[in-house]
């Protein structure tokens, strides 16, 4: 068994580690189909061998070629460490600076088998959200971080460590870019080739930025979505006896089961892959599992009758479940579902993100590699059936929403009836949870703020939970009615978070907070570290799915109506601004959530160590990290953002934002255009 010291020693070459291949006890990524030419295969192999001294090429070249031809990518399984991947306490990492150690901790958490979807393929979540492209990159990164000083920055090009470059102590310790492709070449087909060649990588959101915290990272947002859907569509906070049907139990979608029970409703989640289904059940996120449709329908009726909170995983295809619920309605007139959504990984529809109802799980995996075009046709047929059942149940009174996973976008491309009559380019028949259900929270400055206790001690997490709750309670005493509900929901969440046992991997927590809340929580935690109430540094971060972090016209910026929804200045400016305002590391990605070529997004990590210098960094960077997106939304004409940024400027006289003047009389435009 290797040690942390071993994996920080660089690529093991003398001797080479034994060839082990794929671990049959772990779930594995579907076979990729990059359709390389013979010359491109040579290039992919040549590129992979760049990491290896020529003396080992004769040994490793055939092995790498076999991986490429068998799996569609060179993962370098031989170099996968035997050490158990997990977030070890920060003081155990051999390094020169705790900032580097914090990055190492977060990387290893992303690759923890309890956390990662396909750990040996370095995929954290979403089917193809990579941390690195191959295991040589992981080894080199850990080596560089172990030697890094506070006058160096690690530069990362789509999983590849370009090296350590001289910088300032105030500079980020790592700058990460993933998938930065010239726009005209940012297509799915081009991506598959570039990934196979080892020259680009899809980092999803928090996979490639080393900031994933397990399914907890989305459970809070999912809880708020379900609660707000109940308030908006069902007219009630009380969801007992109400049924929420959806799909997916992977790295992100796995949060749906826990969120449903916390909300008090009956959550029924379909999942075709038994591995994540069992994983969520064993982790306590899923109460029951069944592969029997009859039993599933029976348990829905029982739970509705007794109003019992329930999370049930149905091992089968979501389309079958929707069609059976429709059949029950047509037979009996009883609508067994109140709320519906979908979290299949449709950003990646033809490489394991969506499994068509016509095929078994095994046959689908075979067809996607042996007949990609045939598989694509089958997926699109399935999507049309999928939407047809949802449409009929919706007509009967069910309320359905899009969860920002490209479900409606891909359904539209498949020819399903999801268009909105008279709608704009980013609007569909069903609402997006961002603008319709969450209540335009991004324009109010609210978004997913998170932290990781690097000690690995649950006691530290409990202390930080209490700190965050106390801070929010103090602020909430003086907030406007417009945001009071947001504060109340989050105070309740953080006060009850511990009892719901949501930690998977690192000792982490998430809540939704506005700019003032984030700054005050970070400063209070930093002070607790200085006082010794928290025993070790704490990493603060956020999901890229946030106020300023993501330009995504079908999700985060879907309610931007000035024509700039397809522009990405906000996400890029945020990445740059976080870097020179004090972040420990920053990342900028193509893709994430809705998919490659559809999104630009970025994130950060900032290590709180109890120092005054860190307090200054946190204050400066977190204020920018929220105000940037609110200012952009204000300029687009959003009235909530206008009020939010106006109030922020009143509190911070150094902030000066260009404010828009509205057109008050539409007839001015009419007359001008007629002239």
């Amino acid at each position: 068994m290797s040690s942390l010291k071993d994996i920080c020693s660089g690529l093991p070459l003398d001797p080479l580690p034994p060839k082990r291949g794929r671990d049959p006890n772990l779930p594995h990524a579907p076979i990729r189909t990059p359709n390389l030419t013979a010359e491109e295969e040579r290039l992919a192999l040549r590129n992979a061998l760049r990491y290896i001294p020529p003396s080992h090429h004769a040994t490793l070249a055939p092995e790498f070629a076999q991986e490429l031809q068998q799996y569609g990518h060179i993962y370098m399984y031989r170099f996968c460490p035997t050490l158990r991947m997990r977030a070890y306490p920060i003081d155990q990492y051999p390094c020169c600076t705790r900032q580097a150690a914090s990055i190492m901790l977060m990387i290893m958490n992303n690759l923890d088998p309890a956390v990662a979807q396909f750990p040996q393929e370095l995929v954290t979540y979403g089917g193809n959200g990579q941390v690195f492209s191959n295991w040589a990159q992981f080894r080199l990164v850990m080596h560089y971080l172990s030697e890094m000083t506070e006058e160096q920055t690690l530069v990362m090009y789509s999983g590849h460590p370009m090296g350590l470059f001289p910088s300032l102590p105030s500079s980020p310790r790592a700058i990460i870019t993933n998938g930065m492709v010239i726009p005209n070449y940012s297509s799915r087909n081009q991506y598959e080739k570039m990934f196979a060649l080892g020259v680009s990588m899809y980092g999803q959101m928090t996979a490639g930025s080393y900031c994933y915290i397990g399914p907890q990272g989305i459970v809070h947002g999912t809880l708020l979505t379900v609660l707000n859907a109940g308030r908006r569509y069902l007219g009630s906070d009380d969801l007992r006896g109400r049924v929420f049907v959806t799909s997916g139990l992977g790295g992100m979608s796995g949060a749906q089961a826990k969120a449903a029970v916390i909300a008090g409703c009956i959550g029924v989640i379909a999942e075709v892959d038994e591995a994540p289904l069992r994983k969520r059940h064993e982790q306590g996120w899923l109460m029951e599992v069944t592969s029997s449709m009859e039993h599933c329908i029976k348990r829905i009726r029982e739970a509705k009758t007794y109003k019992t909170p329930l999370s049930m995983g149905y091992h089968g295809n979501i389309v079958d479940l929707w069609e059976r619920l429709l059949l029950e309605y047509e037979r009996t007139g009883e609508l067994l579902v109140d709320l519906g959504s979908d979290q299949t990984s449709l950003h990646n529809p033809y490489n394991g993100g969506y499994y068509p109802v016509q095929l078994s799980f095994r046959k689908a995996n075979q067809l996607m590699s042996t007949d990609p075009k045939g598989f694509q046709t089958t997926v699109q047929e399935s999507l049309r059936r999928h939407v047809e059942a949802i449409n009929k149940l919706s007509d009967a009174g069910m309320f359905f929403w899009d969860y920002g996973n490209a479900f409606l976008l891909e359904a539209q491309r498949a020819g399903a009836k999801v268009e909105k009559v008279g709608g704009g380019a980013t609007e569909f028949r069903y609402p997006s949870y961002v603008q319709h259900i969450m209540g335009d929270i991004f324009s109010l400055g609210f978004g997913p703020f998170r932290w990781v206790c690097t000690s690995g001690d649950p006691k530290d997490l409990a202390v930080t939970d209490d700190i965050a709750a106390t801070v929010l309670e103090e602020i909430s005493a003086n907030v406007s009615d417009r945001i009071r509900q947001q504060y109340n929901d989050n105070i309740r969440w953080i006060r009850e978070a511990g009892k719901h046992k949501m930690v998977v991997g690192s000792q982490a927590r998430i809540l939704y907070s506005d700019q003032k809340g984030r700054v005050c929580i970070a400063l209070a935690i930093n002070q607790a570290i200085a006082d010794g109430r928290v025993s070790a540094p704490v990493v603060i971060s956020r999901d890229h799915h946030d106020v300023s972090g993501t330009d995504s016209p079908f999700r985060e910026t879907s309610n931007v109506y000035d024509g700039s929804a397809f522009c990405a200045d906000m996400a890029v400016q945020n990445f740059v601004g976080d870097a020179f305002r004090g972040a420990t590391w920053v990342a900028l990605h193509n893709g994430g959530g809705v998919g490659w070529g559809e999104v630009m997004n970025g994130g950060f990590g900032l290590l709180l160590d109890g120092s005054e210098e860190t307090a200054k960094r946190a204050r400066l960077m977190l204020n920018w990290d929220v105000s940037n997106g609110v200012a952009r939304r204000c300029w687009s004409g959003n009235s909530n953002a206008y009020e939010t940024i106006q109030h922020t400027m009143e509190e911070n006289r150094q902030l000066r934002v260009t404010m828009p003047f509205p057109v008050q009389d539409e007839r001015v435009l009419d007359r001008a255009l007629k002239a």
Side-chain angles (χ1 to χ4, degrees):
M1 181 70 71
S2 57
S3 65
L4 284 172
K5 184 177 179 181
D6 292 333
I7 65 171
C8 292
S9 300
L11 211 55
L13 298 169
D14 187 20
L16 286 171
K19 179 182 177 182
R20 289 185 299 272
R22 284 187 166 189
D23 183 343
N25 298 312
L26 291 173
H28 291 283
I31 296 169
R32 309 187 75 94
T33 53
N35 296 317
L36 301 182
T37 65
E39 193 54 40
E40 287 169 338
E41 285 190 347
R42 282 181 76 84
L43 182 58
L45 189 55
R46 182 183 291 113
N47 287 348
L49 290 171
R50 288 183 291 188
Y51 293 100
I52 311 297
S55 58
H56 294 293
H57 285 186
T59 301
L60 295 177
E63 186 177 316
F64 291 171
Q66 182 183 14
E67 287 184 17
L68 180 64
Q69 291 161 357
Q70 187 171 354
Y71 305 121
H73 187 74
I74 300 171
Y75 295 104
M76 305 190 188
Y77 290 114
R78 181 190 288 264
F79 296 110
C80 178
T82 56
L83 177 71
R84 164 66 198 275
M85 288 285 180
R86 68 178 182 87
Y88 291 89
I90 192 168
D91 289 338
Q92 292 186 21
Y93 292 93
C95 59
C96 304
T97 166
R98 276 185 158 182
Q99 290 187 38
S102 70
I103 301 172
M104 297 161 88
L105 180 152
M106 300 290 278
I107 287 171
M108 291 192 70
N109 186 67
N110 273 22
L111 295 170
D112 182 342
V115 173
Q117 185 179 12
F118 304 125
Q120 273 202 300
E121 287 75 48
L122 303 110
V123 172
T124 300
Y125 71 94
N128 60 350
Q130 303 284 149
V131 186
F132 303 105
S133 180
N134 60 59
W135 285 103
Q137 292 175 348
F138 167 81
R139 297 269 192 173
L140 286 174
V141 166
M142 296 297 280
H143 179 59
Y144 279 135
L145 289 171
S146 72
E147 295 190 334
M148 170 190 286
T149 72
E150 293 193 358
E151 292 186 338
Q152 290 173 305
T153 293
L154 176 62
V155 176
M156 296 295 302
Y157 280 31
S158 290
H160 169 67
M162 192 56 70
L164 293 175
F165 290 77
S167 61
L168 299 171
S170 59
S171 303
R173 298 281 70 82
I175 302 280
I176 304 161
T177 53
N178 284 307
M180 296 293 104
V181 173
I182 306 301
N184 280 354
Y185 304 91
S186 189
S187 68
R188 281 184 186 147
N189 289 339
Q190 290 279 12
Y191 166 69
E192 290 297 334
K193 283 184 180 289
M194 286 185 280
F195 182 60
L197 292 173
V199 297
S200 195
M201 190 183 87
Y202 183 66
Q204 257 287 358
M205 288 190 164
T206 52
S209 67
Y210 322 146
C211 293
Y212 187 67
I213 59 168
Q216 182 192 175
I218 196 174
V219 69
H220 182 38
T222 307
L223 169 64
L224 293 178
T225 301
V226 173
L227 288 174
N228 286 329
R231 292 164 182 156
R232 183 180 178 104
Y233 298 134
L234 307 178
S236 176
D237 276 341
D238 186 357
L239 295 182
R240 289 176 298 174
R242 299 291 197 166
V243 178
F244 170 47
V245 172
T246 182
S247 59
L249 285 165
M252 300 296 279
S253 55
Q256 296 178 110
K258 179 74 79 171
V261 172
I262 297 173
C265 70
I266 300 149
V268 183
I269 304 96
E271 172 59 66
V272 293
D273 186 352
E274 188 175 10
L277 191 86
R278 296 296 174 193
K279 186 176 187 176
R280 297 297 169 227
H281 189 235
E282 290 165 4
Q283 290 173 342
W285 283 62
L286 196 59
M287 294 166 66
E288 297 181 15
V289 171
T290 183
S291 58
S292 165
M293 183 70 78
E294 300 304 322
H295 181 72
C296 183
I297 298 299
K298 178 185 176 186
R299 288 294 290 127
I300 290 173
R301 285 198 166 100
E302 289 173 353
K304 276 178 68 71
T305 299
Y306 296 104
K307 297 187 175 182
T308 308
L310 173 68
S311 59
M312 181 166 59
Y314 169 62
H315 184 206
N317 197 289
I318 183 60
V319 182
D320 284 329
L321 181 56
W322 282 125
E323 290 179 341
R324 177 57 185 270
L325 290 167
L326 176 61
L327 182 62
E328 291 294 321
Y329 173 72
E330 291 172 342
R331 282 177 176 171
T332 68
E334 183 183 12
L335 186 62
L336 291 176
V337 54
D338 301 284
L339 301 170
S341 192
D342 185 271
Q343 279 200 47
T344 46
S345 297
L346 270 158
H347 67 276
N348 182 34
Y350 308 125
N351 283 285
Y354 182 88
Y355 283 82
V357 65
Q358 306 96 309
L359 302 171
S360 68
F361 181 67
R362 184 178 61 82
K363 287 184 178 179
N365 278 324
Q366 289 175 346
L367 189 65
M368 74 177 72
S369 61
T370 59
D371 184 7
K373 288 185 178 179
F375 183 74
Q376 180 173 338
T377 299
T378 308
V379 164
Q380 292 182 329
E381 289 173 357
S382 181
L383 280 168
R384 291 194 290 272
R385 277 178 60 180
H386 197 152
V387 168
E388 184 180 6
I390 289 170
N391 286 349
K392 290 178 179 178
L393 287 165
S394 177
D395 290 342
M398 177 192 72
F399 296 94
F400 185 88
W401 67 88
D402 182 89
Y403 216 105
N405 60 329
F407 173 70
L408 294 179
L409 180 62
E410 289 300 332
Q412 180 188 57
R413 290 168 175 168
K417 295 179 180 179
V418 295
E419 70 279 356
K420 180 179 180 180
V421 178
T426 63
E427 295 180 290
F428 297 99
R429 170 174 177 166
Y430 299 105
S432 162
Y433 80 108
V434 174
Q435 73 262 43
H436 288 267
I437 297 173
M438 294 297 276
D440 197 24
I441 60 168
F442 292 157
S443 294
L444 300 174
F446 282 85
F449 179 63
R450 55 180 62 168
W451 61 92
V452 175
C453 297
T454 67
S455 64
D457 188 345
K459 293 177 184 176
D460 279 345
L461 185 59
V463 172
T464 58
D465 282 350
D466 186 62
I467 289 170
T470 301
V471 166
L472 295 183
E473 286 165 352
E474 290 172 355
I475 297 173
S476 69
N478 299 299
V479 299
S480 66
D481 291 339
R482 195 162 52 100
I483 61 173
R484 192 175 305 281
Q485 183 71 62
Q486 294 288 342
Y487 267 90
N488 289 343
D489 283 345
N490 280 282
I491 291 166
R492 174 187 166 193
W493 160 264
I494 201 68
R495 284 294 184 201
E496 296 179 356
K499 75 177 185 181
H500 292 302
K501 299 179 180 178
M502 292 177 293
V503 169
V504 177
S506 59
Q507 292 293 319
R509 187 68 75 223
I510 186 171
L511 56 76
Y512 273 54
S513 182
D514 61 359
Q515 182 170 325
K516 186 172 185 177
R518 298 183 203 205
V519 173
C520 291
I521 290 170
L523 295 179
I525 291 176
N526 193 59
Q527 188 59 50
I529 296 166
D531 296 343
R533 287 177 288 139
V534 174
S535 68
V538 171
V539 171
I540 58 170
S541 182
R542 58 160 170 77
D543 198 344
H544 296 200
H545 163 69
D546 194 23
V547 180
S548 310
T550 298
D551 283 296
S552 178
F554 295 101
R555 196 164 80 173
E556 286 82 355
T557 47
S558 57
N559 62 343
V560 170
Y561 301 117
D562 69 343
S564 71
F566 292 88
C567 300
D569 299 81
M570 179 179 72
V572 176
Q573 286 281 354
N574 219 66
F575 162 79
V576 175
D578 284 352
F580 67 74
R581 286 180 174 87
T584 306
W585 71 94
V586 290
L588 183 67
H589 297 182
N590 170 9
V594 183
W596 180 267
E598 307 283 0
V599 190
M600 290 291 287
N601 64 91
F604 73 87
L606 196 162
L607 184 69
L608 302 177
D609 61 7
S611 67
E612 272 300 315
E613 172 62 24
T614 294
K616 291 177 184 176
R617 290 182 181 217
R619 185 182 291 109
L620 191 62
M621 198 216 73
L622 291 173
N623 276 313
W624 154 258
D625 195 65
V626 178
S627 284
N628 172 39
V630 178
R632 183 268 176 99
R633 294 165 196 277
C634 166
W635 184 248
S636 76
N638 186 294
S639 59
N640 284 330
Y642 188 102
E643 291 179 33
T644 302
I645 204 68
Q646 188 75 51
H647 179 69
T648 306
M649 284 194 287
E650 290 168 4
E651 291 194 334
N652 183 355
R653 294 298 177 182
Q654 285 188 300
L655 176 65
R656 297 179 64 188
V657 172
T658 305
M659 305 295 279
F661 292 102
V663 173
Q664 296 178 335
D665 185 352
E666 291 290 322
R667 291 172 298 180
V668 171
L669 304 181
D670 295 336
R671 288 193 294 269
L673 291 170
K674 284 178 182 176

